[in-house]
Amino acid sequence: MPGHGPISPKMQDYLEAVTALSSPRGGARVAGIARRLGVRMPTVNSALRVLREAGLVTQARYGAVYPTPRGLKAGKGIERSHLGLKSFLKLVTGAGERSADAEACLLEHAVSPRTMSAIEAMTAFYSSARGRARLEELRTFIGGRRRR
């Protein structure tokens, strides 16, 4: 939550879903948000009320949901953190897709912008030709520390 404003981690998940599911051609639908997050539609409606009151989304009665400019900026930031963490976990720890996705979802709320920047830089380095040569050394080091 450090880099994503005053809303709770759960509300950040809803904002991230709205951002991911909406486009200029069409907003996110309550059913789509419910499906994506594995919750019921009344739960989504309650969360959307909180996000509307915070000025992060707009929604006409029974209509599509759109992030406000402030909501879009926050939602894209959350999404960027999620994807960056997921890439890092897959690359450095060798985590599988689902495991990395689940862990990234938990971590994205706690990582500051400064730390996220460092993680993105490390991911870029270990993805480069020079870094790939060091990646196995890092993985071996991490694996050795786990056995202690």
Side-chain angles (χ1 to χ4, degrees):
M1 194 159 114
H4 304 297
I7 60 172
S8 72
K10 186 48 72 187
M11 290 301 109
Q12 289 177 27
D13 288 341
Y14 283 94
L15 182 58
E16 182 181 12
V18 169
T19 302
L21 295 172
S22 63
S23 72
R25 289 177 277 123
R29 306 299 295 181
V30 171
I33 297 167
R35 225 178 355 268
R36 181 181 178 104
L37 297 177
V39 298
R40 295 178 336 124
M41 291 196 302
T43 306
V44 174
N45 286 319
S46 295
L48 292 176
R49 184 173 41 257
V50 171
L51 293 175
R52 277 194 310 273
E53 290 170 1
L56 297 170
V57 300
T58 61
Q59 179 186 24
R61 189 163 175 83
Y62 303 111
V65 184
Y66 294 90
T68 63
R70 199 174 102 218
L72 184 62
K73 182 178 180 185
K76 291 281 186 194
I78 297 163
E79 187 176 49
R80 179 178 171 203
S81 292
H82 182 96
L83 294 173
L85 287 161
K86 182 177 168 181
S87 294
F88 175 80
L89 292 167
K90 287 171 58 179
L91 179 71
V92 175
T93 70
E97 183 77 22
R98 291 175 86 172
S99 174
D101 192 55
E103 285 186 60
C105 194
L106 295 171
L107 292 169
E108 69 193 19
H109 307 294
V111 176
S112 71
R114 180 178 177 198
T115 300
M116 194 62 230
S117 231
I119 289 170
E120 289 171 338
M122 287 177 60
T123 303
F125 172 74
Y126 285 113
S127 296
S128 71
R130 191 168 135 225
R132 275 191 296 277
R134 308 293 304 237
L135 184 57
E136 280 311 311
E137 183 180 343
L138 176 64
R139 285 181 175 163
T140 300
F141 177 77
I142 292 169
R145 293 186 54 83
R146 284 188 194 137
R147 288 189 278 277
R148 290 184 187 176

